[in-house]
Structures are given as C-alpha cells and as structure tokens.
Amino acid sequence: MLTRELKEKEDIIITSDDLHKPVYEFMKRICDVICSFVALVLLSPVFLITAIAVKTDGGSAFYTQTRVGKNSKPFKMYKFRSMCPNAENMQAELMRYNEMDGPVFKIKEDPRITKVGRFIRKYSIDELPQLINILKGDMSIVGPRPPLENEVAQYNSYQMQRLLIKPGLTCFWQAYGRSALSFNDWVYMDMMYIKRRSMKTDIMLIIKTIFAVIFKRGAY
C-alpha cells in the first residue's frame, strides 16, 4: 500500500487541524519522557562500550551538530561520532559522488566513516544519544528527522512544512526504507505522518523501525 502511495503521491497541504492535537501532544510528551529516561538507563552499558570503541579511532566519542527543529528553531543534536574528525571539511570534495536528490548528501561508501562508525551506523547505534534530545524536549521519539541548516536553506515552501512539528528519532521513511528512498519520498512521507499522527501510528512506526534496524534495510 505504501509503495502505491509513493508512486501516486501528490502534494500534501498541512492544515491547522493537522497541527492542533492537544491531547495527543500531551500523551506523546509523557511517553517521550518516560521511554527516553528508561532507555537511557537500560542502554547505559551500550553507551559505555560504544564510547570506548569510538575513542579507539581517535577523537571524541560524541559529536554535536546544529539541526533545525519545530518552527525552524535550531538545536544541538547529539550523536556518537561515526566519521573522522575533519569530516565536514571533506564534504565539498565528495559532493560529485552524492547519491541523493534534493539538498541531502549521502554516499554508500563514504570514506569519512571510520571502521567503528560503519558498524554503529549499520545498527543505528550512533543515533542513541538523541534520547537525551528527546528527554530535553528538542525531539520526540517519532517525527520527521531534523535537517541541517544548509539543507533547510534550500527548502521550498512545501518542504518547509516538515518543520511544523517536533522532529523525531524515527519516522515513516526510517521505518520503511531509510536511505534507499529519494528526498522527495522523505518529504511526502513526513507530510503523510503529520496528517496521520496518533499514538497508534507512533507505536506502529517504532515497531517497524526496530525491524528495519535488525534487518539493516536501507542503512548506510
């Protein structure tokens, strides 16, 4: 069904009714706080092991990057470092190898990714520190992935609708295709989520994402 929707997709316009869901937003925030706190406690051994492993590649274990959140508000997003320390300076030289359309940059065999980084990316372990962002309220467990500032600078008015709700750790395209989808597919699926968001949808996407991570679908 989702494949057919992507083929037949038309522009989705977000309305005030799509955004005004106070009961859902309240319940979602409670779930975000409880789930992120519990996950941080339970996964603390994974955090420790990953931090030590990343440090063996040289440089810091954690990496912070400015991302754009709800209503275009910037915030510092946390990740485990998966690339070499001077990765951002190398991107301009690698742009000709970009495999994504739109303002997004991704290549499968990115030479900037370290050996440990390749492993933690494959299983999305590098994203776990974003549980701290969720606890702080910068992000939610489910929502459009937070873009970079230079990506948002290239958005048109339609694509800017992605920023009308809080960004998330996972979303429709993370659950169903991850990097294997086009940027236009990402945008359409984010709009579709904003239209359909509910606790039922969020639980479904969390379960789908777990399976996507286990079977490494579209991850690089």
Side-chain angles (χ1 to χ4, degrees):
M1 180 179 177
L2 188 60
T3 303
R4 186 177 74 249
E5 286 190 60
L6 288 174
K7 288 181 179 178
E8 300 173 356
K9 63 179 180 285
E10 297 179 356
D11 285 359
I12 297 174
I13 303 303
I14 305 303
T15 67
S16 57
D17 288 339
D18 298 321
L19 300 174
H20 186 66
K21 297 184 177 182
V23 176
Y24 162 73
E25 294 281 3
F26 177 74
M27 293 300 298
K28 183 171 186 173
R29 181 57 187 154
I30 291 176
C31 290
D32 281 344
V33 171
I34 294 173
C35 292
S36 59
F37 179 78
V38 171
L40 283 167
V41 173
L42 294 179
L43 294 173
S44 56
V46 177
F47 271 70
L48 179 60
I49 293 168
T50 304
I52 292 171
V54 172
K55 285 287 287 184
T56 62
D57 277 341
S60 60
F62 295 94
Y63 175 70
T64 61
Q65 190 176 51
T66 301
R67 295 290 180 117
V68 181
K70 182 179 178 180
N71 296 326
S72 302
K73 182 180 178 181
F75 69 96
K76 294 292 183 182
M77 190 182 81
Y78 308 115
K79 297 183 74 171
F80 280 117
R81 185 177 57 81
S82 61
M83 292 186 174
C84 57
N86 63 334
E88 290 187 1
N89 297 330
M90 296 170 63
Q91 183 169 320
E93 301 173 14
L94 298 169
M95 282 302 295
R96 62 182 182 274
Y97 303 112
N98 189 16
E99 298 174 12
M100 287 293 295
D101 62 335
V104 182
F105 175 80
K106 277 186 180 290
I107 52 177
K108 285 183 180 178
E109 301 300 327
D110 195 326
R112 302 173 299 167
I113 301 176
T114 65
K115 188 179 294 184
V116 172
R118 200 164 299 280
F119 176 84
I120 63 176
R121 278 184 168 222
K122 186 179 292 184
Y123 293 99
S124 297
I125 298 170
D126 61 317
E127 309 285 2
L128 290 180
Q130 287 156 51
L131 290 167
I132 299 170
N133 288 117
I134 295 170
L135 193 61
K136 287 174 60 182
D138 300 322
M139 294 173 60
S140 182
I141 294 175
V142 183
R145 288 295 293 157
L148 293 163
E149 290 180 301
N150 68 312
E151 294 172 355
V152 173
Q154 301 175 62
Y155 280 9
N156 57 36
S157 58
Y158 174 71
Q159 294 160 350
M160 287 294 290
Q161 293 181 109
R162 300 178 74 226
L163 306 177
L164 290 174
I165 67 169
K166 192 178 293 187
L169 183 62
T170 191
C171 56
F172 261 114
W173 53 266
Q174 286 275 33
Y176 282 92
R178 304 175 83 185
S179 301
L181 296 166
S182 70
F183 175 71
N184 286 332
D185 288 339
W186 289 7
V187 173
Y188 177 79
M189 294 170 91
D190 285 341
M191 305 297 187
M192 188 172 65
Y193 170 72
I194 296 174
K195 284 282 189 182
R196 301 180 183 179
R197 60 197 180 121
S198 66
M199 293 307 299
K200 181 180 178 181
T201 300
D202 289 352
I203 292 169
M204 179 271 289
L205 287 175
I206 291 168
I207 294 171
K208 288 276 189 183
T209 301
I210 291 170
F211 281 100
V213 170
I214 292 173
F215 294 105
K216 298 170 283 185
R217 292 200 300 267
Y220 61 85

